[in-house]
């Protein structure tokens, strides 16, 4: 029986390094296939990119917010400066004792171009003694004696306001409020008046100016003037 010659494969020496598959070849070990010339792939972490993206978006959001806020502020200031809604004049008749601080407050109000109901409000201060104002409002002397019915009246005593409410209640536009202590224990009273030509914007503006007089800066000026009264 013929014998087949088998090529004898060299037996590796124990000190020789293990043989590696040639380039482009693959070798199978069990159920896993290892491709030659391919090392392990390095995966790039995605969270630093996400954090950087959020930081950029946050910065852009802040810049956008500041820009929008600045635009709104500029538009509001421009609208106030131009008084695009028109101008409303109100006249406040004041007892001579506090005419100076009320005039100073009105000057600040006018310089700020204060807007009420979309209209720039200009305050004019008129100084008249209480008996003269009372007679003009009740018809004893006629409103023309004081230049017509004012939008507001500051009296040196609640007495005159109470007397006006009793004699001519329709002349009172809103209840009187105290803006400080007056002489002899009395109180300076600010009452909004209702005249035949007084509109809603003038009424609202008069009440707003009355509230303005109750702010600390204006109250300090009123208190200083009242302290000089005998």
């Amino acid at each position: 029986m013929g014998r087949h010659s088998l090529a004898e494969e060299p037996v590796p020496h124990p000190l020789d390094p293990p043989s590696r598959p040639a380039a482009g070849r693959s070798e199978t070990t069990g159920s896993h296939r290892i491709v030659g010339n391919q090392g392990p792939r390095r995966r790039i972490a995605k969270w630093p990119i996400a954090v950087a993206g959020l930081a950029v978006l946050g910065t852009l959001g802040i810049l956008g917010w500041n820009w929008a806020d600045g635009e709104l502020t500029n538009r509001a200031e421009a609208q106030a400066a131009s008084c695009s809604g028109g101008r409303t004049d109100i006249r406040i008749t004041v007892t001579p004792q506090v005419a100076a601080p009320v005039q100073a407050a009105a000057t600040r109000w006018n310089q700020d171009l204060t807007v009420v109901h979309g209209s720039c409000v200009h305050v004019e201060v008129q100084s008249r003694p209480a008996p003269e104002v009372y007679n003009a409002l009740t018809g004893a002397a006629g409103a023309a004696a004081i230049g017509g019915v004012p939008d507001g009246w500051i009296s040196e005593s609640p007495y005159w306001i109470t007397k006006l409410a009793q004699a001519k209640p329709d002349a009172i536009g809103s209840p009187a409020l105290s803006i400080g202590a007056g002489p002899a224990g009395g109180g300076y009273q600010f009452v909004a008046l209702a005249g035949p030509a007084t509109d809603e914007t003038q009424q609202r503006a008069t009440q707003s100016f009355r509230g303005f007089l109750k702010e600390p800066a204006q109250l300090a000026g009123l208190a200083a003037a009242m302290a000089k009264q005998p």
Side-chain angles (χ1 to χ4, degrees):
M1 183 174 183
R3 299 178 62 186
H4 297 281
S5 65
L6 299 175
E8 293 183 357
E9 294 183 1
V11 178
H13 192 277
L15 297 180
D16 291 338
S19 61
R20 296 181 179 178
R25 297 178 58 189
S26 64
E27 138 183 349
T28 303
T29 58
S31 60
H32 298 280
R33 187 171 184 270
I34 302 175
V35 180
N37 289 342
Q38 290 188 0
R41 296 183 179 181
R42 184 177 180 183
R43 303 182 66 182
I44 301 175
K46 297 181 179 180
W47 66 266
I49 300 176
V51 171
L54 290 175
V56 172
L57 290 176
T59 301
L60 292 176
I62 293 174
L63 293 175
W65 175 267
N66 290 338
W67 176 85
D69 185 60
E71 283 293 307
L72 291 175
T73 300
N74 292 338
R75 290 178 184 177
E77 291 177 351
Q79 182 179 8
S82 63
C83 290
S84 59
R87 169 172 158 166
T88 297
D89 295 319
I90 62 173
R91 182 163 51 92
I92 310 298
T93 301
V94 184
T95 187
Q97 290 91 329
V98 291
V102 174
Q103 178 60 68
T107 299
R108 286 191 291 271
W109 170 284
N110 295 336
Q111 288 175 345
D112 290 342
L113 296 176
T114 306
V115 177
V116 178
H117 280 190
S119 177
C120 287
V121 175
H122 183 272
V123 178
E124 175 189 352
V125 177
Q126 175 190 47
S127 177
R128 291 285 190 279
E132 183 178 335
V133 177
Y134 173 80
N135 289 334
L137 294 178
T138 55
I146 59 172
V149 178
D151 298 286
W153 179 26
I154 299 178
S155 171
E156 73 271 11
S157 171
Y159 166 79
W160 294 105
I161 305 298
T162 302
K163 192 173 182 180
L164 175 63
Q166 294 172 348
K168 195 173 182 180
D170 58 345
I172 306 296
S174 64
L177 292 178
S178 174
I179 60 171
Y188 289 96
Q189 299 281 308
F190 190 128
V191 62
L193 300 174
T198 303
D199 60 25
E200 182 180 355
T201 300
Q202 289 172 315
Q203 292 177 354
R204 180 59 181 164
T206 301
Q207 294 173 2
S208 296
F209 182 70
R210 181 174 61 185
F212 181 71
L213 291 179
K214 298 285 287 183
E215 295 180 0
Q218 284 65 248
L219 285 178
L222 289 168
M226 295 169 188
K228 298 178 181 179
Q229 302 302 319

